[in-house]
Amino acid sequence: MVGAGSMGGMMSLLLAELGTEVVVYDPSEENVQALMKKAKDTGLEHQLSSEKDHESLCKALPSPKIFFFSLPHGSVGDKTVESLKPFLKSGDFIFDASNEHYASTERRQKMCEPLGVNFIGSGVSGGYQSARHGPSMSPGGSKEAVEKMLPFLRKAAAKDAQGRPCVAWMGEGGAGHYVKMVHNGIEQGMMSALCETWGIMTQCLGMKYEEIAETFEEWDTKGELFKNFLVSIGSDICRTKDPKDNSYVLDKVKDKVVQDVDETEGTGTWTIEEGSRLHVAIPTITAAHMFRLSSADAAQRIHVHKSLEGQIKVGRIEVPDKKAFIEDLRKATYAAFLMSFVQGLDLLEHINQEKKWNLDFSSIISIWRGGCIIQSDHISDLLGKVFEHHKHIHGNLLTVHEVGHELLRCYPALKNVVLKAVEADAHIPSLSASWSYFRYSGDVNLPTQFMEAELDYFGNHMFDLKGAGPGKPVTGTHHFEWHPARGISEGHR
């Protein structure tokens, strides 16, 4: 195990508990000592040992050697591979379990290919808790290499409700890390929608933490949010008190999400970049990401607040039937969750067409059934059946009747929540983006015709005729000379 931080350390303990002898290297002696203490506390100290450098690490391993990486994204991975190269032999395996950019994974695979070393890039989801007892994994790379490791990975992976391991080969190259990137993008959309719902409950409805915890607990036990990981832990978070003073821990948490800004987490940023590059609309996810970025700079928000003299504040939502409105909140949250999946899977479909990975979307849904942050059993059941019955979906899942009508059923609730929240000046970037996305995705008379006309007016960008068929998303064939270009002497305006 190269890297003994929170994820690498917990994976080391998991593998040791499964009977594997694990040799650990981490440049931080503090990380290594903390891991060894945990191993001793759990009776696993005889399964773990540590080495001081890459050379001694390699000498301690039998052939073929198997390396698990749990490293920060970026140059650290390249430097680690270069440092290991003198000691690697044909048939060795590198299993990169870091949150890494798929292009970096593909670059390292090419670095290892001449050596005969199998480099597998894999998403590992579920946070450090799942890393300890069984995460969801999305390995990508050579199919032959992944299949050799799958029997071992199946033992370590999370199991779904039917006992099936949440791990499968995703595809060639960087497919595994790309799937994990999209998982994390979906995660950001879901987390934002849920925190917005929590904000409405606390600030607009005046609900106490215990009442919210009970509500989330009920949502998690039945209906569309059945066994939803984020809702489930939301209930725990609302109930947890600090034993030192019996106060709610949540009350002590500042409203700053900094993981994207400090670049300890890159997957959300990469998801937005890939959406733009591949021309895929992912507004629920994008709004969530922008919300996180704005939250991170608390000092700037204070300055803006002072500049605006604090004149805009979140107000109360007065409803005649609180129970009915909370039910609307549940459906709205579910709709935003499902639209996060729809948008993420649309992005995967586009990269699949570009890279010819031949992604198996049924397998992707199956590994998200347990051990991961976006686990949501009802959504997995819905989408699992969709991909089972529609083997070749080339496009947005909203075109599939089962998905479109599921969201149509929740649309009145989502609309009501957005309307009420806007009236109260509540913060609903992802909920409102989800409402807007659903509206414009299925409308055949958008005001963008005016935008297209203006583009043609000043830029000669061309347009398609409204009476013609839909055509493809390519440059139109018509131009109108709205206002001929004139020189200075011609009296331009």
Side-chain angles (χ1 to χ4, degrees):
M1 182 66 68
V2 182
S6 60
M7 289 292 289
M10 293 303 101
M11 285 187 69
S12 297
L13 294 174
L14 169 64
L15 299 176
E17 190 173 353
L18 293 171
T20 305
E21 292 185 19
V22 181
V23 186
V24 177
Y25 167 72
D26 191 304
S28 168
E29 184 63 24
E30 183 181 350
N31 283 351
V32 174
Q33 291 303 317
L35 173 58
M36 291 305 172
K37 183 181 184 305
K38 289 174 183 173
K40 185 176 182 180
D41 292 343
T42 51
L44 296 171
E45 67 270 27
H46 300 300
Q47 294 294 117
L48 265 76
S49 60
S50 65
E51 295 294 340
K52 299 295 185 181
D53 54 44
H54 290 136
E55 182 177 5
S56 60
L57 175 69
C58 292
K59 289 180 178 178
L61 296 173
S63 292
K65 296 182 284 293
I66 301 176
F67 300 89
F68 274 67
F69 284 5
S70 184
L71 304 169
H73 64 83
S75 61
V76 177
D78 291 321
K79 292 175 183 176
T80 301
V81 171
E82 285 293 342
S83 181
L84 289 172
K85 276 175 70 174
F87 315 108
L88 297 175
K89 294 181 179 179
S90 180
D92 288 345
F93 288 82
I94 296 176
F95 187 89
D96 189 354
S98 317
N99 272 341
E100 188 55 271
H101 194 283
Y102 79 101
S104 296
T105 301
E106 294 183 336
R107 184 177 64 254
R108 290 166 198 159
Q109 287 168 338
K110 290 178 181 176
M111 290 167 62
C112 292
E113 192 174 335
L115 304 173
V117 173
N118 304 291
F119 192 102
I120 298 167
S122 179
V124 174
S125 181
Y128 69 92
Q129 292 98 338
S130 286
R132 179 63 185 87
H133 58 74
S136 166
M137 291 185 275
S138 58
S142 159
K143 186 175 183 180
E144 181 182 1
V146 172
E147 286 183 342
K148 286 180 180 178
M149 283 199 70
L150 271 177
F152 176 66
L153 297 176
R154 289 184 182 118
K155 292 180 181 179
K159 308 300 185 292
D160 68 11
Q162 281 71 48
R164 297 169 297 193
C166 296
V167 59
W169 177 64
M170 294 291 99
E172 300 286 342
H177 273 142
Y178 202 100
V179 168
K180 178 54 162 56
M181 178 198 78
V182 170
H183 166 286
N184 286 18
I186 294 170
E187 173 189 310
Q188 288 199 6
M190 295 173 70
M191 290 185 75
S192 186
L194 188 60
C195 90
E196 293 161 31
T197 295
W198 175 85
I200 292 171
M201 289 176 165
T202 55
Q203 295 177 296
C204 301
L205 298 178
M207 294 173 66
K208 303 299 183 184
Y209 287 169
E210 183 58 36
E211 185 182 2
I212 297 172
E214 290 174 0
T215 301
F216 284 171
E217 194 170 61
E218 183 180 351
W219 289 3
D220 186 51
T221 56
K222 60 184 179 181
E224 295 92 341
L225 296 174
F226 176 65
K227 287 196 175 178
N228 181 284
F229 175 80
L230 289 170
V231 173
S232 174
I233 68 169
S235 178
D236 287 345
I237 288 168
C238 287
R239 283 199 171 107
T240 301
K241 292 186 177 181
D242 188 335
K244 294 178 182 177
D245 56 12
N246 202 38
S247 64
Y248 286 103
V249 177
L250 185 52
D251 278 337
K252 301 178 181 181
V253 179
K254 195 163 186 63
D255 59 345
K256 294 167 56 179
V257 178
V258 301
Q259 289 79 9
D260 309 288
V261 174
D262 68 12
E263 296 192 351
T264 54
E265 174 55 68
T267 50
T269 301
W270 304 333
T271 303
I272 307 307
E273 290 173 347
E274 283 294 287
S276 295
R277 185 182 72 83
L278 294 172
H279 316 299
V280 181
I282 50 172
T284 304
I285 296 169
T286 301
H289 191 71
M290 299 304 148
F291 196 27
R292 289 161 66 112
L293 298 184
S294 293
S295 80
D297 195 341
Q300 178 173 276
R301 286 189 285 121
I302 290 172
H303 288 314
V304 173
H305 181 78
K306 289 179 178 177
S307 174
L308 300 177
E309 299 175 344
Q311 292 193 38
I312 303 176
K313 298 178 182 178
V314 178
R316 292 296 293 256
I317 292 177
E318 301 296 339
V319 289
D321 188 337
K322 179 181 173 182
K323 185 176 181 181
F325 186 71
I326 290 175
E327 173 62 9
D328 278 354
L329 267 177
R330 185 187 70 82
K331 289 180 179 178
T333 303
Y334 166 64
F337 281 9
L338 182 52
M339 276 187 263
S340 297
F341 273 85
V342 167
Q343 293 164 26
L345 291 166
D346 195 12
L347 184 56
L348 280 175
E349 173 56 27
H350 278 72
I351 191 67
N352 194 36
Q353 293 177 24
E354 178 185 86
K355 302 286 283 186
K356 310 300 181 188
W357 279 335
N358 196 27
L359 294 175
D360 184 339
F361 284 85
S362 292
S363 290
I364 293 171
I365 297 301
S366 73
I367 68 168
W368 291 344
R369 286 182 174 273
C372 71
I373 306 302
I374 65 173
Q375 179 184 343
S376 191
D377 281 17
H378 177 85
I379 292 177
S380 293
D381 287 344
L382 170 68
L383 298 180
K385 290 175 183 175
V386 165
F387 287 116
E388 181 182 341
H389 296 149
H390 306 273
K391 295 294 184 183
H392 305 289
I393 301 173
H394 299 299
N396 193 304
L397 281 172
L398 293 180
T399 63
V400 178
H401 181 274
E402 297 93 321
V403 177
H405 278 256
E406 181 84 345
L407 288 166
L408 193 62
R409 181 176 59 81
C410 296
Y411 178 74
L414 176 61
K415 180 180 178 180
N416 186 42
V417 167
V418 169
L419 285 170
K420 292 288 194 301
V422 168
E423 287 178 350
D425 287 320
H427 304 291
I428 53 165
S430 287
L431 289 173
S432 59
S434 298
W435 168 80
S436 187
Y437 172 74
F438 189 66
R439 282 290 297 114
Y440 61 65
S441 291
D443 202 314
V444 295
N445 190 23
L446 296 176
T448 45
Q449 82 181 78
F450 184 78
M451 188 191 304
E452 182 78 333
E454 291 208 314
L455 285 164
D456 187 59
Y457 184 107
F458 66 75
N460 191 15
H461 285 291
M462 314 289 281
F463 57 89
D464 284 330
L465 293 176
K466 194 167 187 179
K472 295 182 178 180
V474 296
T475 302
T477 56
H478 297 270
H479 167 68
F480 185 81
E481 197 62 40
W482 306 85
H483 185 78
R486 295 187 176 93
I488 297 172
S489 61
E490 296 175 290
H492 80 289
R493 69 168 175 85

